[in-house]
Amino acid sequence: MAVTLFVSILVLMTLGFPVAFALAISAALAVFVGGRYPQLVVFKEMFTGIDSFPLMAVPFFIFAAELMSGGALTKVLLRFAAQFVGHLRGGLGYANVLSSVLFAGVSGSALADAAGPGAMMTKMMEKAGYDRPYAAALTANSAIIGPIIPPSISMIIYTLQDESVSVGGLFMAGVIPGVVIAVAMAAVNWWVCKKRNYRSTEARPSTREIIINSLKAIPALMLVVLIIVGIRFGIFTPTEASVVAVFYAFACGKWVYRTLHWSAVPAIAARSALLTASVLFVMAASAAFAWVLTVEGIPQYLSELIISWHLTPVMFLLAVNILLLAFGIFMEPLPGIMILVPILAPISAALGIDPLHFAMIVIVNLTMGMVTPPVGGLLFVTAVATRTPIAALTRELPIFIVAQLIVLAILTFVPTLSTALPHALGF
């Protein structure tokens, strides 16, 4: 079964099958060839993989993000971000990064960030004289902040695979790493703009405009505060927080910004349903794939093999980084988390590595894979949303990848960046 599983996934991924279909078909073929279990077990494990109460947070956070976008949140946050840095050299690039940070606190999805505010910022940057491929590359690489800063769909999925961490703890653990990634992307923008002489054409806003734009942005920014404070003080669980976010997003769009109309709600609900279905399908297929691995004893074998090497914690983390970087090139973050975390997290705990620190390394690492060819989902979404040739976009990537590797090394060797905030707040 194991040989059939690995050969099938390799062939199907090479042929360009969507990740979810490749995982599900590989699991089904492995069970069929093995002959020890009925085919029905594949469907059973797929349904079992998504039969979880915490998973209800995923569709609600997606729906909240869509409601906020439909309620003019994107434009409000873009104006808020641009007013502080838009007049500087490379200012719209900084605004692109800052808008990704702000929108990350709403969507929890890198793809939503790239397709929404990221696409708008790319058009604004091109009109201001930036090369479109560079603007698109900055958008794609800044969008990886989405799954790092809370709320985060990836973090919710991670807690289902590792019971030693909580959703609230992971949410807090992602704040500082997300800011570090944003600083790295801003540094890249500074270097490129200086080298290519991208100058700002934006006028410095008046104090009155800054005050007005800031006041307008407060209701949108309060969503993040509401979620974090509510979870920290036990007012509601993360799943309940996602429902609160939906009602808050609807209230903001309908009665605060007054741009969300009843006629738009069905289309927003339909988009949210499609996004939710795609996420859950990936998770269901990953669960079936992981089940085959488990019954074949692959996780246990790998665990015993790695433990027999007697690696120090630092050597183990370096080995994990190399493994995840390679894995992330071909696999999306969600299936990567579901397949690898049950194998690696127990070994990490046995070596005395803080579970929150290890979780952030895994999540950041696999999220970086979304901007690495050939499977990088963010590259294709950004290329389509900004109408940029994928080859031209890819040529702009090396400096961004170097910056991300530096960030990953910092997060690996400075665990306090991931653990200080959640520990200070009692997680």
Side-chain angles (χ1 to χ4, degrees), residues 58-94:
V58 173
F60 285 113
F61 275 130
I62 291 175
F63 192 26
E66 290 290 333
L67 284 171
M68 292 294 267
S69 297
L73 168 76
T74 301
K75 294 180 181 179
V76 170
L77 291 182
L78 287 181
R79 283 198 298 268
F80 177 73
Q83 69 182 354
F84 296 110
V85 292
H87 59 281
L88 303 174
R89 178 198 292 268
L92 285 180
Y94 298 129

Side-chain angles (χ1 to χ4, degrees), residues 188-208:
V188 170
N189 181 66
W190 173 84
W191 172 259
V192 173
C193 290
K194 181 180 179 181
K195 186 177 180 181
R196 301 183 186 180
N197 198 30
Y198 290 144
R199 294 187 175 274
S200 175
T201 59
E202 296 288 320
R204 190 186 189 99
S206 65
T207 303
R208 181 175 180 274

Side-chain angles (χ1 to χ4, degrees), residues 2 39 93 95 99-100 103 107 139 146 179-181 204 297 309 343 416 420:
Q39 284 288 301
S99 67
S100 293
F103 199 75
S107 70
T139 291
V179 173
V180 173
I181 294 173
R204 190 186 189 99
W309 294 343
I343 300 173
T416 306

Side-chain angles (χ1 to χ4, degrees), residues 394-415:
T394 303
R395 283 195 292 269
E396 299 282 352
L397 291 179
I399 189 170
F400 290 102
I401 293 176
V402 169
Q404 291 173 18
L405 291 175
I406 293 173
V407 170
L408 186 60
I410 293 173
L411 294 179
T412 300
F413 293 107
V414 188

Side-chain angles (χ1 to χ4, degrees), residues 141 144-145 148 176-186 364 404 407 411:
N141 285 273
I144 68 171
I145 300 170
I148 309 302
I176 296 178
V179 173
V180 173
I181 294 173
V183 171
M185 295 302 100
V364 170
Q404 291 173 18
V407 170
L411 294 179

